Amino acid sequence: MHAPDGFINAPVAAAAGVVAAGAIAVSLRGARRELDERTAPLAGLVAAFIFAVQMLNFPVAAGTSGHLLGGALAAILVGPFTGVLCVSVVLLMQAVLFADGGLTALGVNITTMAITTAIVAYALFRGLVKVLPRTRRSVTAASFVSALVSVPASAAVFTLLYAIGGTADVSLGKVAGAMVGVHVLIGIGEAVITALTVGAVIAVRPDLVHGARGLTRKLKLRVNGELVDAPDASGTEPEPVPARSPRKVWITGLVTSLVLAGFVSFYASADPDGLEKVATDHGIDEKAEEHAIADSPLADYGVEDVDDARLSGGLAGVIGVGVTVVAGTGVFWAVRRRRTGEETEAASPTGTSV
């Protein structure tokens, strides 16, 4: 769903850039409250994982494919403010290294793919977990629903921006119907990926999932040979969920991201994604402008001068994951250190005097 340069006129693209910059500034402050020594490295990994999975386009209809947007996944795993930053890092890396998504349209893409998805998904997720039982299955189910809704919401926001600043003379009603319709289908894929990933992390380290904090496993009692939940009134403390080392979780996630981007991505659908398909069908693509770095050595997710398509795409994917995890981890550690510095200063006697 990466919008290229030319789809949205300059004034609206600039306005979206201002909105995106403001949201990132707010998210940087909000992320200080969400990140700690355990979750800062995880946030960088989440960004790298989203980059990798976005390379895996999956077919959703005849001649159309879709890919993960990632806002819901990031918001649930590391928090809504950090989630906005995760997807923004991915979009920046894609735009400046791989010529994916226009440079002048970066604000549009951050607004639709990072801000909208994270806010809509997390708001819905929080509402669902408040009314559902506080269990791992409920968190996974809430992840599925919130991710599903976030994708057509993103398409609706893009349609709104296009209604204000679209450069092609096309029927807005047809564009809106096509965008939201196809992205409902893409949302199903988003929901499956998000639920599976959240469920997998909860199974080993629920304390690392922002949306599942406070989740515990009930004590089991054996009754007539079967394990049943102990009554809440028993006065027994809940049994802690066994935890796997954060380092093992991080390494497993990084290896998975590298395999997905470096190998599995070769088998991704070659069909255009939802936005590309709608743009082609309605003549919007005629206004698309060539990317400013279209001749980049990594443009179109391939390595220049590497003739083998499988090797070229795999190398580009591995490079992308590596750069994203380094950039993302650097950003989130800096945010975390800033919070630590502020807490230390506030606690210092000299820091509290005038």
Side-chain angles (χ1 to χ4, degrees):
M1 194 177 169
H2 299 72
D5 297 323
F7 277 17
I8 306 295
N9 64 30
V12 175
V18 172
V19 171
I24 289 174
V26 172
S27 296
L28 284 169
R29 294 186 63 86
R32 297 177 196 172
R33 300 189 299 270
E34 295 172 346
L35 294 171
D36 55 32
E37 66 278 359
R38 296 173 303 166
T39 55
L42 177 64
L45 176 63
V46 168
F49 181 77
I50 290 173
F51 175 92
V53 180
Q54 282 196 2
M55 295 182 66
L56 308 180
N57 280 46
F58 48 84
V60 295
T64 308
S65 69
H67 62 71
L68 181 81
L69 300 186
L73 176 62
I76 294 167
L77 287 179
V78 291
F81 294 109
T82 308
V84 169
L85 298 178
C86 282
V87 183
S88 297
V89 167
V90 173
L91 293 171
L92 179 62
M93 294 298 102
Q94 291 169 333
V96 301
L97 293 179
F98 299 93
D100 187 10
L103 295 179
T104 63
L106 184 59
V108 172
N109 289 326
I110 290 176
T111 299
T112 57
M113 297 177 65
I115 301 170
T116 300
T117 56
I119 291 176
V120 170
Y122 197 73
L124 180 57
F125 174 83
R126 292 302 302 170
L128 289 172
V129 295
K130 285 181 179 180
V131 299
L132 294 173
R134 190 66 171 168
T135 65
R136 283 181 283 181
R137 288 185 178 181
S138 296
V139 172
T140 303
S143 301
F144 182 94
V145 175
S146 58
L148 173 61
V149 174
S150 72
V151 178
S154 176
V157 171
F158 174 83
T159 302
L160 176 61
L161 293 175
Y162 193 83
I164 301 171
T167 55
D169 184 17
V170 299
S171 169
L172 182 61
K174 292 182 179 179
V175 172
M179 280 293 293
V180 174
V182 72
H183 283 89
V184 168
L185 299 177
I186 294 173
I188 297 173
E190 179 103 9
V192 171
I193 295 171
T194 300
L196 289 175
T197 305
V198 171
V201 179
I202 287 179
V204 294
R205 285 299 300 262
D207 59 306
L208 294 181
V209 179
H210 183 88
R213 288 183 176 176
L215 187 67
T216 55
R217 190 174 67 184
K218 291 184 177 181
L219 179 67
K220 297 289 187 178
L221 298 178
R222 186 171 295 278
V223 179
N224 296 327
E226 296 183 1
L227 289 176
V228 298
D229 290 337
D232 293 335
S234 66
T236 307
E237 291 294 327
E239 179 188 359
V241 177
R244 183 177 297 180
S245 166
R247 180 177 297 179
K248 291 182 179 180
V249 173
W250 194 91
I251 292 174
T252 300
L254 180 60
V255 170
T256 300
S257 300
L258 291 170
V259 170
L260 292 175
F263 177 73
V264 181
S265 62
F266 181 78
Y267 302 97
S269 173
D271 291 333
D273 69 16
L275 177 57
E276 291 176 307
K277 179 64 173 176
V278 172
T280 301
D281 290 347
H282 294 85
I284 300 174
D285 62 330
E286 297 177 1
K287 297 293 183 177
E289 300 174 2
E290 185 178 18
H291 201 285
I293 57 169
D295 56 351
S296 164
L298 296 173
D300 297 324
Y301 299 94
V303 177
E304 190 176 27
D305 297 329
V306 176
D307 296 329
D308 184 272
R310 185 192 298 269
L311 179 60
S312 178
L315 287 174
V318 168
I319 292 170
V321 168
V323 172
T324 303
V325 76
V326 170
T329 302
V331 168
F332 298 122
W333 267 118
V335 172
R336 171 61 186 162
R337 288 176 64 87
R338 179 70 177 272
R339 172 187 170 179
T340 303
E342 290 178 348
E343 291 174 346
T344 302
E345 182 178 350
S348 172
T350 58
T352 57
S353 62
V354 179

